[in-house]
């Protein structure tokens, strides 16, 4: 029997079953109860299903007795909560693919951990957890759970979830509830506008904090915060990003976010023109960013204007009647169509059209009229962004320089300003597609290539928070194929020769290495048209041959532990990288070329390894590109060379013997980007300079020892008056300073070889003493020159010997000590006293400490040169008279002889050092090394042996020794004058200071192991 009873019940509810979980699309969804009438029929069943018995609620039951009161059950509400879990590890892009093994493993582990942590919570529907996606930012796992209560405390469960995942090897850190909301309701945001954000989510109760890209915002002139509202003043494109309001709901951080993009500046590009006064129509364009629409302020002046992509044309009519008597001017504007932006300065740009009957040197349909030397700017062709600058030349032609960038590349650059890691795969794919579809337009435009380098750099930077896969790397290499192709060679030559763009090629190579290092630890073999990339692992040794067309054989004999190696053979990068090194910078010699593939070797230890791979050396064998060249150099690209510009360096690399034709072997003690440079002359130059330097220094040291011995023998007879005494004091100290400095030079040269890292302690000590004694040499020569000047100008005045000695030693040793100590104090603290490699001498690249030697030395050379001029002038005024020899009356002969003697004695040959600083030419290097390595020999020759009085005194002392040895006596009263007095001695009799009193001027130092780089 069936009985039907009409019951009024206030609720209708939906209850979940244990077998079915409905996935909700909103962050928190509740079925709202409604009031209606339900008719319930109660039947006596013959059987009961398990599902209805356990999962279907009974709303009401009745018997045949109508007097029974209605029975009502209020079931719990059902809602979906969307939460986010942060795992502190690099984001593997395969987590974007639900079918990937990584995605499946992560999702399974996280679901299991959720069930384990949330299962005991009252109100959590078991087995309802679903991982919806993974996002970058470390690794963020978004997941949904279903709850059966309107409020639920998840704080302790979230702590358990983090702990559980950490035990499973995931570095989980935090959990929050995230919801994408509509914080901004004003639409597009343009530059310099204020932006108002409102956080009006119903779930948020209480205090709110605001963040941009995860960083907290506080009240300032830029940001104005009133709890649930945020105003950002004067928005800029750089203010784009993810804005969020943050609170707590059920003890869980709750975040409502929105990605905000600020439009770029319109960058309106239009020019002024000067035109001939003749009836014609002149066509020109106004262009702006593709985000904007533009128009002419006075369309009547630009009849039939056409809007094409991001540009609008103007057909300007020149009417002769308006400019017959005087120049005629029209002014109008190219302006944004959006009237809401009219108050901003960037919204319009004036155009001035001048028609004239004046004759101009240059005439052109693009630039108009112009005077010689005048420059004008015009817009780029269709599909290009930027400008072209034309300059009027003498011949009546406009020469132009293009700063145009392919528009689609410029659009990508604007997008890259706020590139998020999650967008990287698609962005790299888009760049690759654009490059492959526009190869000629790219390779023929230096600024387009430069812009792509900027994009590649930004891609590499963003990738550092990711682990990339083969698809992304393949797209990346496809872009490189285009910008490194043979068609781009002349473009790269232009960029590498421009002082502002010199480091572009180095930045590109660095970005390639950086991006490749983000490949996951799997095996890869990727080939493009000119690049081969392989990644593999090994545990003990590694051997392989890689490359397309030009191959490179790599041999790593030993490593400890599991090691991953990535090799990238860049066959066409000789088009990109210049032949630039520490000695070859601005001028590129035509006889030096990159004669093999550029090969990047990137070695990574395994992630969990506690032992470094410990690679001590690597052997490479390169195929030669040109087989007619010789004298190979094994080099690597040093990104820090030349103040960060980058260049080729042979540090740690050397050519190894090889019995294979058309191949070059190299051995290096590090891994980076390698290649070979080949030239018929490059090694010969170094051998010549090294030979001259060491032979010269050796001769100088022997000469200085002889000089000091001779001075000791003839000291008493040659120092009987103050002038002679001070002169010989100077010679002894000059010889002693140079001898010690040369000894320090030899020691320093053997502490570190070129191409080796510098041992800071021993090298700093050798450098300090070398610096001090070379400076002492210069200051003693300065004292000798000043003494000569004093005796020449002030013939009848005198200074006591004691005073002269104080002055001499204060100047000779005090000033050098002060300079040397200050140099150490200023530069040593930051590790900039000596170079990091190659040589023991004062640092130049980082701290410019070398100036502490160059400036005093060259200043003294200049002073000594001026003193020599003054002395020569005085000699000519006093010395040319009746008593002179007939062949010496000619002034030119007098000057020639004096200059020949005084130049080495005053150290004027150090003036060649200026040449070595500004030019790498071999000739100036050899001259400098030859003269200054032989300074000690010149002191012995000109300061001692060619002085007849010293020879006489020496002969007298030796005669006395000989007589004494034969037990005889001599009543000699001292050395007598001989008829062989020199030209300079005759001037001394006229109260002129003896030229040999000006001491020899010698020194030897450099920025490397030779004298060539002082």
């Amino acid at each position: 029997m069936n009985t039907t009873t009409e019951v009024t019940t206030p609720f209708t509810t939906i209850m979940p079953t244990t077998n079915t979980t409905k996935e909700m699309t909103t962050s928190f969804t509740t079925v709202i109860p409604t009031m209606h009438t339900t008719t319930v029929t109660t039947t006596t069943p013959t059987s009961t299903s398990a599902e209805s018995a356990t999962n279907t609620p009974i709303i009401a039951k009745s018997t045949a007795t109508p007097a029974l009161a209605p029975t009502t059950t209020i079931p719990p509400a059902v809602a979906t909560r969307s939460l986010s879990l942060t795992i502190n590890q690099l984001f593997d892009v395969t987590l974007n693919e639900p079918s990937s093994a990584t995605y499946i493993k992560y999702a399974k582990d996280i679901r299991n951990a959720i069930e384990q942590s949330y299962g005991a919570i009252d109100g959590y529907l078991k087995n309802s957890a679903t991982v919806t996606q993974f996002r970058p930012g470390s690794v963020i796992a978004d997941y949904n759970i279903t709850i059966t209560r309107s409020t639920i405390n998840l704080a302790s469960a979230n702590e358990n979830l983090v702990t559980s995942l950490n035990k499973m090897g995931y570095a989980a850190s935090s959990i929050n509830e995230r919801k994408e909301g509509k914080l901004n309701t004003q639409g597009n945001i343009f530059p310099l506008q204020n932006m108002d954000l409102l956080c009006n989510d119903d779930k948020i109760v209480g205090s709110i904090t605001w963040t941009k890209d995860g960083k907290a915002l506080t009240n300032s002139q830029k940001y104005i915060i009133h709890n649930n509202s945020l105003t950002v003043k004067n928005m800029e494109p750089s203010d784009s990003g993810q804005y969020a309001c943050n609170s707590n709901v059920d003890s869980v951080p709750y975040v409502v976010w929105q990605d905000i993009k600020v439009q770029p500046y319109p960058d309106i590009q239009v020019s002024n023109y000067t035109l001939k006064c003749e009836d014609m129509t002149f066509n020109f364009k106004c262009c702006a960013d593709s985000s904007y629409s533009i128009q002419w302020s006075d369309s009547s002046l630009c009849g039939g204007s056409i809007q094409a992509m991001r540009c609008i044309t103007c057909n300007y009519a020149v009417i002769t009647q308006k400019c017959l008597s005087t120049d005629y001017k029209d002014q109008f504007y190219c302006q944004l169509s959006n009237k809401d932006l009219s108050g901003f300065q960037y919204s319009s740009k004036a155009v001035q059209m001048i028609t004239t009957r004046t004759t101009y040197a240059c005439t052109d349909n693009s630039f108009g009229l112009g005077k010689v030397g005048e420059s004008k700017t015009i817009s780029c062709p269709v599909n290009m962004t930027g400008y072209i600058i034309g300059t009027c030349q003498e011949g009546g032609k406009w020469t132009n320089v293009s700063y145009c960038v392919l528009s689609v590349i410029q659009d990508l650059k604007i997008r890259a300003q706020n590139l998020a890691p999650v967008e990287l795969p698609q962005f790299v794919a888009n760049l690759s597609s654009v490059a492959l579809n526009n190869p000629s337009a790219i390779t023929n435009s230096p600024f387009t290539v430069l812009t792509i380098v900027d994009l590649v750099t930004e891609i590499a930077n963003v990738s550092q928070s990711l682990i990339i896969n083969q698809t992304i790397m393949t797209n990346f290499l496809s872009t490189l194929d285009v910008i490194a192709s043979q068609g781009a060679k002349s473009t790269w030559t232009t960029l590498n020769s421009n002082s502002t763009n010199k480091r572009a090629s180095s930045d590109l190579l660095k970005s390639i290495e950086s991006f490749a290092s983000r490949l996951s630890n799997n095996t890869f073999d990727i080939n493009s048209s000119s690049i081969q990339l392989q990644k593999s692992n090994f545990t003990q040794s590694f051997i392989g041959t890689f490359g397309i067309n030009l191959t490179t054989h790599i041999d790593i004999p030993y490593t400890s532990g599991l090691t991953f190696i990535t090799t990238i053979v860049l066959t066409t990068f000789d088009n990109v990288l210049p032949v630039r090194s520490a000695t070859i910078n601005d001028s590129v010699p035509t006889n030096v070329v990159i004669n093999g593939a550029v090969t990047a070797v990137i070695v990574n230890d395994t992630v969990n390894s506690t032992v470094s791979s410990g690679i001590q050396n690597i052997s490479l064998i390169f195929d030669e590109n040109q087989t007619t060249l010789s004298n190979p150099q094994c080099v690597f690209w040093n990104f820090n060379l030349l103040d960060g510009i980058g260049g080729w360096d042979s540090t740690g690399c050397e050519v190894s013997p090889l019995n294979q034709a058309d191949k070059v072997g190299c051995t290096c003690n590090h891994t980076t980007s390698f290649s070979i440079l080949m030239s018929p002359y490059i090694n010969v130059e170094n051998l010549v300079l090294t030979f001259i330097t060491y032979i010269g220094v050796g001769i100088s040291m022997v000469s200085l020892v002889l000089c000091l011995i001779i001075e000791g023998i003839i000291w008493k007879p040659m120092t009987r008056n103050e002038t002679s005494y001070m002169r010989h004091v100077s010679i002894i100290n000059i010889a002693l300073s140079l001898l010690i400095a040369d000894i320090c030079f030899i020691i320093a040269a053997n502490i570190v070889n070129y191409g080796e890292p510098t041992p800071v302690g021993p090298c700093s000590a050798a450098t300090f003493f070398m610096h001090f004694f070379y400076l002492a040499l210069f200051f003693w020569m300065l004292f000798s020159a000043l003494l000569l000047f004093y005796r020449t100008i002030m013939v009848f005045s005198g200074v006591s010997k004691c005073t002269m000695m104080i002055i001499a030693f204060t100047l000779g040793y005090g000033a050098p000590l002060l300079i040397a100590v200050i140099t150490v104090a200023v530069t040593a603290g930051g590790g900039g006293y000596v170079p990091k490699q190659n040589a023991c001498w004062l640092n130049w690249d980082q701290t410019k400490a070398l100036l502490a030697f160059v400036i005093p030395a060259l200043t003294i050379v200049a002073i000594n040169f001026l003193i020599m001029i003054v002395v020569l002038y005085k000699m000519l005024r006093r010395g040319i008279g009746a008593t002179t020899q007939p062949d010496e009356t000619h002034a030119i002969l007098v000057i020639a002889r004096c200059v020949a003697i005084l130049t080495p004695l005053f150290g004027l040959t150090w003036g060649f050092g200026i040449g070595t600083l500004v030019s790498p030419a071999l000739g100036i290097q050899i001259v400098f090394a030859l003269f200054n390595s032989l300074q000690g020999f010149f002191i012995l020759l000109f300061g001692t042996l060619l002085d007849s009085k010293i020879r006489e005194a020496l002969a007298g002392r030796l005669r006395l020794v000989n007589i004494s040895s034969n037990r005889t006596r001599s009543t000699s009263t001292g050395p007598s004058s001989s008829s062989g007095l020199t030209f300079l001695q005759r001037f001394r009799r006229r109260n002129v200071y003896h030229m040999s009193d000006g001491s020899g001027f010698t020194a030897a130092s450099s920025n490397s192991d030779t004298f060539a780089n002082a």
Side-chain angles (χ1 to χ4, degrees), residues 856-979:
L858 293 183
T859 301
I860 290 173
V861 169
I863 294 173
N864 287 357
F865 178 77
L866 293 176
I867 291 175
M868 185 184 73
I869 298 298
V870 172
V871 170
L872 289 175
Y873 175 75
K874 290 291 184 180
M875 287 171 59
L876 291 174
R877 289 285 303 273
R878 297 179 185 177
I880 305 301
T883 62
T884 60
Q885 299 283 341
D887 61 343
E888 296 173 343
T889 58
H890 200 287
I892 296 179
L893 183 59
V894 174
I895 293 174
R897 289 188 177 184
C898 291
V899 169
I901 294 174
L902 292 180
T903 295
L905 293 178
F906 277 10
L908 302 184
T909 54
W910 267 84
F912 291 113
I914 299 175
T916 65
L917 292 174
V918 299
S919 173
L922 178 60
I924 192 68
Q925 304 279 349
I926 290 177
V927 169
F928 180 82
L930 181 63
F931 277 104
N932 293 292
S933 65
L934 291 171
Q935 286 290 322
F937 173 74
F938 293 143
I939 289 177
L940 176 66
L941 180 63
F942 294 106
T944 303
L945 297 181
L946 292 184
D947 188 327
S948 61
K949 280 193 171 292
I950 292 180
R951 292 200 307 271
E952 292 169 5
L954 181 61
R957 295 290 292 178
L958 293 176
R959 228 178 4 253
L960 287 175
V961 171
N962 186 51
I963 293 172
S964 175
S965 65
N966 291 297
R967 300 181 182 275
T968 61
R969 297 183 179 272
S970 173
T971 58
S972 173
T973 58
S976 61
S977 299
S978 69
S979 61

Side-chain angles (χ1 to χ4, degrees), residues 2 29 55 259 368 373 464 646 773 780:
N2 296 335
T29 305
N55 298 323
D259 287 327
Q464 297 311 294
F773 282 106
W780 274 106

Side-chain angles (χ1 to χ4, degrees), residues 28 85-86 170 205 264 273 280 288 319 322 351 416 460 538 584 634-635 643 711 745:
F28 190 104
L85 165 71
T86 300
Y170 297 92
V205 179
Y273 295 92
M280 65 171 179
I319 302 174
K322 295 181 178 180
V351 182
F538 63 101
I584 307 172
C634 296
V635 292
D643 294 329
E711 285 292 328
F745 174 83

Side-chain angles (χ1 to χ4, degrees), residues 417-460:
Q417 292 175 354
N418 297 284
L419 184 63
V422 70
E423 302 172 317
L424 186 69
Q426 188 58 50
F427 185 87
V428 175
N430 292 344
L431 178 59
S432 173
S433 176
V434 170
L436 293 175
N437 290 330
N438 301 275
S440 297
I442 290 173
T443 56
N444 293 324
S445 170
F447 271 79
T448 299
V449 171
L450 196 62
T451 303
I452 292 178
V453 173
D454 292 339
L455 291 176
V456 169
T457 302
E458 183 61 26
I459 287 170

Side-chain angles (χ1 to χ4, degrees), residues 104-176:
I104 293 171
K105 179 182 184 303
Y106 276 48
K108 179 181 178 181
D109 290 346
I110 291 173
R111 282 196 302 268
N112 291 339
I114 291 173
E115 293 301 326
Q116 178 183 347
S117 303
Y118 288 13
I121 298 179
D122 185 20
Y124 169 71
L125 184 61
K126 292 185 178 181
N127 299 318
S128 65
T130 304
V131 176
T132 58
Q133 67 173 349
F134 292 95
R135 295 181 287 114
S138 298
V139 175
I140 299 176
D142 294 331
Y143 63 94
N144 294 337
I145 61 171
T146 302
I147 61 174
T148 58
R149 297 179 56 183
S150 58
T151 60
I152 184 172
N153 191 337
L154 298 175
S156 60
N158 286 340
E159 292 178 4
N160 293 336
L161 176 57
V162 169
T163 301
S164 177
L165 287 171
N166 286 336
K167 290 180 180 179
M168 297 169 67
Y170 297 92
S173 61
S174 62
I175 299 174
N176 58 44

